[in-house]
Amino acid sequence: MVFKSSIHFKSDCTAMFLVVNMLLYLLLKCEAVRFSQFSEGLTVVEHDAVNLECKLKEKHADDLVSWKGIENMPGNRYTLDENGDDIDYTFTLAIKSVDRTDKGEYKCQIITREGRHMERTLILTVLEIPGDTYPVCAELPTATEGQPITLSCNSEMVEPAPVLKWYKKDKFNGSLYELNTFEQKHEDDIIKLELTLTPTAENNKDVYVCKLTTETNLEWSRECKRVMHVRYKPIVNISGSPTVEVGRETVFICEAQTSSATYSWNYSLPTSRVRLEADNQILRYHDPRPEDNGNEITCIAANDVGSSSKKLVLYVLEFPIKPPIGPSHTPETVYNQNSKTRSLSFVTAVAGGCTTILLVLLIMFAGCIHYHTNRDFRNTSLVAQPDVYFEPRDRVLHMPHGSCMRSIGVQVPRDIESESVYHEIESRKSGSSCSAKNYSTGATSV
């Protein structure tokens, strides 16, 4: 009885051991596949490419792996790739160009061969960039001097929020400098920035630039610009010197920097000595007199925006000079002007005198050369060529019989009958050389 109980105990232990091993085996098989180095969040710039990786350990060939969240994504925008083996396995979702609609949750899901479900969630954050049509600068109407005007610029609202800034371009070097503006306004899906200013004549044709930037890419920016045209009252200037001479007519021209203007003059001169021309833009001042000294002449130009004026004080030159005392013609100012005039006249006179003396010296020098040249020519005697003359040819001919002759050329006029004459002189001694007296002559007509 004891023996049977012992055998039965051993059998029970063996069965229990087998059951425990089986449970452990099944438990280990169920937990064999697991996630490895799975990122729960990923940030990418819009239009860039991105890879979402699902890394697994101990994957069995019958285990199914998939990505959830791409059901509405066009198939030509992503690919699915498998790499590695069952021990180290990577399942990759590659998006070629990320769109702002791609942001959100993506799940890597595993279904084991035993039917167990496992998944991990990844959050994709997309840093958006405003569309190609932004920023947009609102049309700018023609401004009027002294009246406020608002410049407006907008962009679409994205994440992160874009930044708009107004700049003014320098007219001389083209550089931009930032203007103080109000805070950006959010209206629905649009972000707007406004700039309000009161223009002056100096702002005419100024260029204003709205620049759009984003922290998504610090090197990225776009801009739009507007040119401001300003209607302004005339800027007046009088052309003509206020210093005039007694009895000499003077002309004053009123000039205004504006497209259209009407002109008028204020003065206290006698109307008989003043004449207006060219729609009152030109004033002719006849017969200035000493008593006109110190009078004021004012030109007024006006348009539909407003009017402005320019004034000058007459200074009539007389001898002795009696300058008027006024804001623009003090005695010191007149003395300085007269000193400059006298200095300029003296320099001009000296230069003219030096030029005259130099011209006289040049004329005298040229006459001297001409005189001496003619005198030398007159003193030179001309020798006429004779009708007949002899020219030695310096040629000695040795004849075969021992004689010799020397030829001499004679030139005679064509109207003289001539013929060649040769006279041979024998040598006195056989074999002797020809002497200078042994020669023959010949005459040739020319």
Side-chain angles (χ1 to χ4, degrees):
M1 191 70 180
V2 175
F3 177 74
K4 289 182 179 180
S5 297
S6 176
I7 294 175
H8 180 70
F9 176 76
K10 289 181 180 181
S11 298
D12 291 341
C13 289
T14 301
M16 186 177 295
F17 178 76
L18 293 174
V19 170
V20 171
N21 286 339
M22 181 62 67
L23 292 175
L24 290 174
Y25 172 77
L26 293 176
L27 181 62
L28 290 175
K29 286 297 289 182
C30 291
E31 293 294 330
V33 60
R34 62 186 185 275
F35 292 96
S36 172
Q37 300 179 356
F38 189 86
S39 176
E40 296 182 354
L42 193 60
T43 301
V44 62
V45 177
E46 188 176 11
H47 306 308
D48 286 353
V50 65
N51 293 332
L52 282 63
E53 296 181 341
C54 182
K55 294 186 177 182
L56 305 175
K57 288 287 189 181
E58 305 295 339
K59 174 186 173 299
H60 194 272
D62 296 333
D63 295 337
L64 300 178
V65 183
S66 61
W67 276 102
K68 300 297 182 181
I70 60 174
E71 294 79 11
N72 297 324
M73 186 182 298
N76 60 347
R77 293 189 55 236
Y78 71 90
T79 58
L80 297 172
D81 298 314
E82 294 181 288
N83 294 292
D85 51 25
D86 291 346
I87 298 177
D88 290 296
Y89 174 84
T90 301
F91 190 51
T92 303
L93 168 62
I95 303 177
K96 299 177 183 179
S97 178
V98 176
D99 186 82
R100 63 186 61 179
T101 59
D102 297 335
K103 61 183 178 182
E105 292 186 354
Y106 293 85
K107 295 181 179 181
C108 179
Q109 187 179 67
I110 306 172
I111 302 177
T112 65
R113 61 180 180 175
E114 291 82 13
R116 186 181 180 192
H117 290 252
M118 301 172 60
E119 64 180 29
R120 290 289 187 271
T121 301
L122 183 148
I123 304 297
L124 180 63
T125 302
V126 179
L127 301 179
E128 303 173 17
I129 295 178
D132 295 339
T133 59
Y134 296 99
V136 175
C137 291
E139 292 297 326
L140 188 62
T142 300
T144 301
E145 182 180 17
Q147 298 182 9
I149 188 171
T150 299
L151 290 79
S152 180
C153 172
N154 63 68
S155 170
E156 66 174 334
M157 187 61 190
V158 296
E159 291 294 338
V163 178
L164 293 169
K165 289 185 179 180
W166 275 108
Y167 296 84
K168 182 181 177 182
K169 181 175 289 188
D170 190 279
K171 290 182 178 179
F172 300 100
N173 56 28
S175 60
L176 299 178
Y177 59 91
E178 186 177 350
L179 301 173
N180 294 326
T181 55
F182 300 105
E183 294 293 330
Q184 297 182 151
K185 299 179 180 179
H186 298 267
E187 298 178 0
D188 299 328
D189 294 332
I190 298 296
I191 184 171
K192 180 185 295 185
L193 180 66
E194 294 181 341
L195 170 66
T196 301
L197 48 84
T198 303
T200 63
E202 288 75 17
N203 297 128
N204 188 42
K205 297 184 180 180
D206 278 351
V207 178
Y208 295 88
V209 178
C210 178
K211 183 173 289 188
L212 172 65
T213 59
T214 174
E215 65 182 43
T216 298
N217 185 350
L218 299 180
E219 297 181 357
W220 181 93
S221 67
R222 289 201 201 103
E223 62 184 37
C224 61
K225 59 185 177 181
R226 286 288 180 263
V227 179
M228 178 177 291
H229 297 279
V230 182
R231 297 169 54 254
Y232 54 89
K233 61 184 180 181
I235 301 174
V236 183
N237 184 46
I238 298 178
S239 175
S241 173
T243 302
V244 299
E245 298 179 9
V246 171
R248 185 172 182 177
E249 183 185 56
T250 302
V251 177
F252 299 106
I253 302 175
C254 187
E255 300 172 336
Q257 298 181 17
T258 184
S259 57
S260 61
T262 57
Y263 299 91
S264 60
W265 296 83
N266 287 337
Y267 51 86
S268 56
L269 300 171
T271 56
S272 60
R273 292 189 285 116
V274 175
R275 187 175 70 204
L276 300 179
E277 299 176 352
D279 295 331
N280 296 339
Q281 191 172 359
I282 298 176
L283 182 148
R284 289 186 177 273
Y285 172 34
H286 302 280
D287 190 22
R289 299 175 183 178
E291 58 266 24
D292 298 336
N293 199 37
N295 272 309
E296 295 182 353
I297 295 179
T298 303
C299 172
I300 303 171
N303 60 9
D304 56 347
V305 178
S307 63
S308 56
S309 63
K310 182 73 174 182
K311 179 177 68 175
L312 57 81
V313 179
L314 289 177
Y315 170 49
V316 182
L317 286 177
E318 60 176 326
F319 301 97
I321 299 174
K322 297 179 180 179
I325 305 301
S328 60
H329 291 281
T330 63
E332 293 79 4
T333 304
V334 174
Y335 175 77
N336 293 334
Q337 292 176 350
N338 292 337
S339 299
K340 293 179 181 179
T341 303
R342 288 194 294 270
S343 299
L344 180 60
S345 300
F346 176 75
V347 172
T348 304
V350 171
C354 293
T355 303
T356 303
I357 293 173
L358 180 60
L359 182 60
V360 171
L361 291 176
L362 289 175
I363 293 174
M364 293 174 63
F365 179 71
C368 182
I369 292 177
H370 180 71
Y371 172 76
H372 286 286
T373 302
N374 291 339
R375 187 184 66 176
D376 294 341
F377 180 75
R378 290 193 297 270
N379 294 336
T380 303
S381 59
L382 300 178
V383 179
Q385 182 176 348
D387 293 336
V388 180
Y389 66 91
F390 295 91
E391 178 183 356
R393 300 237 183 131
D394 295 329
R395 183 164 59 94
V396 178
L397 300 177
H398 295 273
M399 307 305 291
H401 50 273
S403 63
C404 64
M405 65 180 178
R406 183 172 182 174
S407 63
I408 297 176
V410 179
Q411 177 175 309
V412 298
R414 291 184 181 274
D415 55 353
I416 299 176
E417 294 183 359
S418 62
E419 60 180 353
S420 299
V421 179
Y422 297 94
H423 181 71
E424 184 177 309
I425 303 174
E426 298 292 340
S427 301
R428 294 182 180 181
K429 294 182 182 182
S430 177
S432 63
S433 61
C434 297
S435 65
K437 294 180 179 180
N438 299 340
Y439 62 91
S440 65
T441 61
T444 306
S445 297
V446 180

